[in-house]
Amino acid sequence: MTGAQRRQQLLDVARELFGRRGFEATSIEEIAAHAEVSKPVVYEHFGGKEGLHAVVVDREMQHLLGRFTAALSDPGHPRELLQRAALVLLEYIESDTDGFLVLTRDAPVTSGVGSYPSLIGEVAHEVEHILAEHFGARGYDPALAALYSQALVGMVALVGQWWLDTRTPDKRDVAAHLVNLAYNGLSHLDVRPGLVEGPSGG
């Protein structure tokens, strides 16, 4: 096995173990045993558990972000774009559960690596540009696209975490309900929304 192949093997083993057991509960000894190598081989490639975890997380973030970027890069009706984004996350959770768990489970506080919230922030930034164009065309303030993109992507992200455990209803039904809420809300936005005053007027 070449050095590159060994590194890839260790990353695949670590991804599965970190996803299944979490960072704290996974040891270098366990990773080495599953890869059928000695502990020094793991240290040689990654410097330690934190270094290995950081590479695994970064790889998953780039993988998922790439999926989102590809789904949103082709033009389409806003409803279709929302559907694509929702399905990207749900399909990732279904087919790459270990990777999703690596992104959302415990990570070393001092790792300094990307996290699920920072990934969601990057996706929201992609959505912001799309919303700004549609806002400008429909008379809404394009500057508010950042707020709405965070709200939309945050909603999908939290529902995705909930669906990870329930796996029901079917992912396409979940996506349809997300789009129903999000798109119908966007379709009836007030240009200048305000809060409803209570009986006391306060």
Side-chain angles (χ1 to χ4, degrees):
M1 189 177 288
T2 66
Q5 289 171 329
R6 178 65 73 194
R7 179 180 174 87
Q8 184 63 49
Q9 180 209 21
L10 290 170
L11 286 171
D12 291 341
V13 168
R15 176 183 185 267
E16 180 182 351
L17 291 174
F18 285 140
R20 190 192 316 156
R21 298 168 56 83
F23 176 81
E24 292 297 338
T26 302
S27 67
I28 287 288
E29 289 85 355
E30 190 175 9
I31 293 167
H34 275 75
E36 298 183 345
V37 299
S38 62
K39 283 171 52 179
V41 172
V42 182
Y43 286 111
E44 177 186 340
H45 282 277
F46 301 101
K49 189 168 76 165
E50 288 82 2
L52 175 56
H53 185 268
V55 175
V56 170
V57 168
D58 183 67
R59 189 176 69 159
E60 287 305 313
M61 284 188 64
Q62 295 308 315
H63 178 55
L64 183 51
L65 185 61
R67 287 193 187 187
F68 275 117
T69 302
L72 298 174
S73 61
D74 290 332
H77 189 276
R79 185 176 188 124
E80 182 187 353
L81 293 172
L82 285 168
Q83 178 178 306
R84 284 187 215 158
L87 281 172
V88 160
L89 183 62
L90 294 171
E91 287 170 356
Y92 174 75
I93 292 170
E94 184 177 67
S95 63
D96 293 285
T97 304
D98 287 336
F100 184 74
L101 286 169
V102 165
L103 291 176
T104 55
R105 266 196 171 155
D106 59 330
V109 176
T110 58
S111 68
V113 300
S115 61
Y116 188 57
S118 65
L119 171 70
I120 295 307
E122 289 191 53
V123 175
H125 189 63
E126 299 268 343
V127 173
E128 179 184 342
H129 298 300
I130 297 169
L131 283 183
E133 292 179 18
H134 290 285
F135 274 23
R138 298 180 60 185
Y140 303 126
D141 183 359
L144 292 173
L147 186 159
Y148 281 93
S149 67
Q150 292 285 340
L152 287 171
V153 175
M155 177 179 70
V156 173
L158 281 175
V159 170
Q161 287 185 281
W162 165 79
W163 188 74
L164 170 70
D165 295 322
T166 65
R167 299 300 175 105
T168 184
D170 178 79
K171 67 185 176 191
R172 295 188 66 83
D173 290 333
V174 174
H177 285 290
L178 281 168
V179 172
N180 184 37
L181 174 60
Y183 182 72
N184 286 323
L186 287 173
S187 299
H188 299 89
L189 290 180
D190 291 331
V191 176
R192 292 181 179 82
L195 298 177
V196 176
E197 299 293 342
S200 63

